[in-house]
Structures are given as structure tokens and as C-alpha cells.
Amino acid sequence: MRDTAREFRSVTERQSRPNQSVPQSGKSSFPVLCSMQGLTMSTAQPMIKSRQAEKEINGIRTQVVCTEFNNYILVVLTQYGKMGSLVSITADSTSSDVSTPMFSTKVLMGKDEPLTHVCAKNLATRVSQEAGNRPVLLGLALKDTSIEAVKLMRDLITSCQVW
Amino acid sequence: MNVAECDRGALHTITVHDFSARLSEQVIHFHVMRLDGGFLLWVGTSPTLSNLAVSMNSKFDAMPISMLLMGDQSETAPNALAQRLAKKTKKQVFVSYNLPVVNSNLALQVESRIKTEMENHPEHF
């Protein structure tokens, strides 16, 4: 709140004295950035929204990081701490607005086997639907791919909803 | 076995780090996700993910191997940046570079800003 107040004051100050030059050299301060960009933006507030969660699933430490982009939701789901395989899940545009769309999966990196596609679809379909059929980029590094575990992982992903 | 591993804290915790810089009259945002043995770096001015390159070192070549996983194959900037960062860090590097490629001077400034951040905050990479 204090930042907003300071920003407002400095913007109005500059407006009342239009001939005063805006400091250009060195590190520009936060209010200067705001007025120059013409939008309220804070350097403390990151441009990319992300949330993460961690849970032990069947005794295996599982981490999730969800990151929101305009055109993608990035979900990293890992039991190794690594990215693992990368799968892209997209809603097919051919279906009408009335019915729920079909989703297609594509392995961009890693093992291109049926199980990867099944897990990816299972985990990311709901994310994409909830995000207005936005494509999902899923990083998968799993030790346990049992259906019980996948269900729990789905809930874990939902717990860090950024969309 | 895995439980014991967890208890010892052997598994890496993913961390996320954001920073920004004013380069060539625009505010460039950076987002880093630190993973075990690697990191993902996103660079851009608006929150879009238009490409993704991956790079890692290989014992067969002095230069790290790099590949574009997503986006326009004619764009070399994400690959080039990923490759240089992989060489520097010896890690698996994912890069999403969302800036106009026409400005090569900006690319250099972006790279030097990343290197500064790596020196000042090595714990985030």
C-alpha cells in the first residue's frame, strides 16, 4: 500500500511539473518505471505468476511447480527434482464449443511411450479445461505411475492453481 | 528406500527466482526455476511462452548440444543462449527467449545481465 501511495505521489508530482526531466541515468526507481510504462507494475511483483507445492505420495517426495503464461500453463511435476520428460497437451480446436474438447499430447522431450501420454492426459486435462482450454506444458519425472498416485498428483497440481 | 532418501534431504528442492532489468529502453523480465542439475530460464517483456530450447553438455563435443523443443525453428536466439549458459554452468539448461531477434545488441545485454545475476545469486541457478 505504501508503494502505491509513493508511486501516485511521484506520478502526480511529475505531471504538475512537466518540464522537469525524468532521471535517466543509473538505476531507475520504481515510480519512474511505472509512469514510463504507463501501467501499474512493480519490480517486486514478478511478471510471471507461479506457485509450488510438495507432498509425499506413497512415500515418495513429490514436487509441483505451476507457472502461468498467456498462451501456456507450465506444470513441472517431479519425484526426481528434475524436469524429466516434456509433454505438450493441447485442446483440439476442431470440436465445437458445446462439447468438451478432445486433448492431444505430444512428447517434446524424453521417452515417447504410451504411459507418458496416458499420465500426461490424466494430469493435465483438468488444468487445461480450467484455464480456458489453454495448452499445458508438462514436465514429468515420476517414480510411481500407479493410478492411485496419479490421482493424488492431480490434486497436488490443483492445490497450486495459477490459472 | 525413497523415504530414507527424503529424510536425509537428498532430494533437491525446486526454487523460483524473478528479477528484471531495464535494457534498451524497455523492462526485461527474467524468471528462473532451479531444478536438480539444471534450470529453466524465461526472458521476456510480456508473460508469453513462445519458444523453448534445451541444452546440455556432451562428452562427444566441446560445445553443448542444443535443441529447440517448441516454437519457430528459424529462431536461433533461444538455442544460442541455452547453449552458452549450458557451457558456462555445465548444467541442463532450458531457455525461453521472448524478445525480438532483430536487436542483437539487446541479446548481448540480456546475456550479460543473466551472468551478473548468476554471479550475485548463484544459489538461484
Side-chain angles (χ1 to χ4, degrees):
Chain A
M1 287 310 276
R2 195 170 297 163
D3 269 359
T4 321
R6 183 152 45 87
E7 172 208 343
F8 177 71
R9 194 174 59 232
S10 77
V11 169
T12 44
E13 270 169 13
R14 251 199 310 285
Q15 280 169 345
S16 60
R17 282 172 288 168
N19 292 331
Q20 192 187 8
S21 63
V22 176
Q24 292 282 351
S25 59
K27 284 176 190 165
S28 21
S29 64
F30 161 68
V32 174
L33 288 184
C34 286
S35 61
M36 280 178 155
Q37 291 286 301
L39 43 93
T40 41
M41 184 200 76
S42 150
T43 41
Q45 190 84 45
M47 167 153 281
I48 302 299
K49 196 166 126 193
S50 93
R51 281 180 73 181
Q52 64 185 100
E54 193 186 313
K55 198 185 172 185
E56 226 168 83
I57 293 175
N58 291 343
I60 304 167
R61 187 176 168 222
T62 312
Q63 296 182 78
V64 170
V65 185
C66 293
T67 314
E68 190 196 25
F69 296 95
N70 283 342
N71 56 341
Y72 264 101
I73 304 287
L74 171 68
V75 179
V76 176
L77 176 67
T78 180
Q79 295 182 323
Y80 288 91
K82 296 166 188 288
M83 184 70 87
S85 307
L86 257 184
V87 192
S88 152
I89 300 99
T90 34
D92 295 329
S93 52
T94 44
S95 57
S96 68
D97 295 333
V98 189
S99 62
T100 44
M102 297 284 286
F103 287 86
S104 45
T105 44
K106 190 184 171 200
V107 177
L108 302 178
M109 189 184 86
K111 223 177 190 179
D112 193 350
E113 55 173 19
L115 189 62
T116 311
H117 291 266
V118 170
C119 285
K121 231 176 246 191
N122 234 302
L123 292 160
T125 300
R126 193 160 68 187
V127 175
S128 179
Q129 279 172 345
E130 286 176 357
N133 290 332
R134 230 180 297 177
V136 176
L137 196 60
L138 180 66
L140 271 185
L142 301 180
K143 293 177 182 176
D144 182 2
T145 50
S146 66
I147 187 67
E148 296 80 21
V150 169
K151 275 180 186 163
L152 291 169
M153 286 168 198
R154 219 157 52 189
D155 296 337
L156 190 61
I157 293 172
T158 312
S159 79
C160 38
Q161 190 169 349
V162 284
W163 45 91
Chain B
M1 51 152 203
N2 293 319
V3 181
E5 235 173 59
C6 293
D7 289 345
R8 271 184 272 120
L11 275 175
H12 179 91
T13 300
I14 300 174
T15 56
V16 169
H17 174 57
D18 289 275
F19 59 100
S20 60
R22 194 170 173 80
L23 307 168
S24 291
E25 293 304 303
Q26 51 186 329
V27 181
I28 315 284
H29 295 265
F30 300 84
H31 177 86
V32 190
M33 191 190 296
R34 184 179 188 243
L35 301 147
D36 187 8
F39 62 90
L40 180 144
L41 170 73
W42 174 93
V43 186
T45 50
S46 66
T48 47
L49 188 78
S50 51
N51 56 55
L52 187 67
V54 63
S55 183
M56 51 209 276
N57 283 282
S58 137
K59 58 179 175 180
F60 302 110
D61 201 339
M63 227 22 220
I65 298 164
S66 180
M67 190 188 162
L68 200 69
L69 300 171
M70 210 181 87
D72 188 350
Q73 291 292 335
S74 67
E75 273 193 34
T76 53
N79 262 331
L81 183 58
Q83 204 168 24
R84 279 201 289 273
L85 292 176
K87 191 169 173 65
K88 185 180 162 69
T89 59
K90 308 264 184 292
K91 287 178 177 177
Q92 182 187 43
V93 180
F94 293 88
V95 166
S96 177
Y97 186 84
N98 307 273
L99 295 171
V101 282
V102 282
N103 194 344
S104 58
N105 184 39
L106 179 63
L108 289 173
Q109 285 178 292
V110 163
E111 206 175 312
S112 92
R113 180 64 185 87
I114 295 163
K115 284 181 178 159
T116 311
E117 193 73 11
M118 281 176 159
E119 280 155 21
N120 295 342
H121 299 281
E123 72 278 10
H124 293 305
F125 292 87

